[in-house]
Amino acid sequence: MEVQYQFEDNRCRNEEIIFQGSSANSVGGDSGQDGRTDGRTDGRTDRQTDRQTDRQTDRQTDRQTDRQTDRQTDRQTDRQTDRQTDRQTDRQTDRQTDRQTDRQTDRQTDRRRR
């Protein structure tokens, strides 16, 4: 026995808009009654609604976790890049200073020899 529902997205509640399936799980339909479903169908509807809510909550949690992870990764990457840039700058400055010092020392040595 297969029962299918289609739900309208509504923030307050899910409204049943189409019912298809065996009338054995339904009160109403072609029999002229009020169209309300019995407890077994209501249980299925509750489980389906629970699954939809769980999936929405999972997606929301995943998005929040992804954003947190992205921010954390960005901060780590920024710190690594900053340290790497600082080391490169320090090496360049050291080499430049060493060359200047070497030139000055060479000039002083040349002056003394003369």
Side-chain angles (χ1 to χ4, degrees):
M1 170 182 343
E2 183 177 325
V3 177
Q4 296 177 343
Y5 288 91
Q6 180 175 337
F7 289 91
E8 178 180 331
D9 189 23
N10 183 316
R11 289 180 183 217
C12 300
R13 66 182 189 276
N14 285 320
E15 294 179 304
E16 178 183 337
I17 58 173
I18 295 176
F19 173 80
Q20 298 172 343
S22 169
S23 62
N25 285 328
S26 164
V27 176
D30 290 338
S31 66
Q33 295 180 4
D34 64 8
R36 285 181 280 160
T37 57
D38 68 10
R40 288 177 291 180
T41 304
D42 288 346
R44 287 188 203 114
T45 302
D46 290 346
R47 285 191 300 277
Q48 184 176 14
T49 301
D50 288 348
R51 284 192 302 270
Q52 288 172 344
T53 300
D54 288 349
R55 283 192 296 267
Q56 288 172 347
T57 301
D58 287 349
R59 283 192 298 268
Q60 186 176 18
T61 300
D62 288 349
R63 284 191 299 268
Q64 288 172 344
T65 301
D66 288 349
R67 284 192 297 269
Q68 289 172 347
T69 301
D70 286 351
R71 284 192 298 269
Q72 187 176 22
T73 301
D74 286 350
R75 286 191 299 268
Q76 289 173 345
T77 301
D78 287 350
R79 285 192 297 269
Q80 288 173 347
T81 301
D82 286 351
R83 285 193 298 268
Q84 187 176 25
T85 300
D86 286 351
R87 285 192 301 268
Q88 288 173 346
T89 301
D90 286 352
R91 283 193 300 268
Q92 287 173 352
T93 301
D94 286 351
R95 283 193 301 267
Q96 195 174 34
T97 301
D98 285 350
R99 282 193 302 267
Q100 287 174 350
T101 302
D102 285 351
R103 281 194 296 265
Q104 286 175 354
T105 301
D106 285 351
R107 274 186 256 166
Q108 286 176 355
T109 301
D110 280 352
R111 285 188 194 130
R112 287 187 193 144
R113 288 184 182 165
R114 292 185 187 168

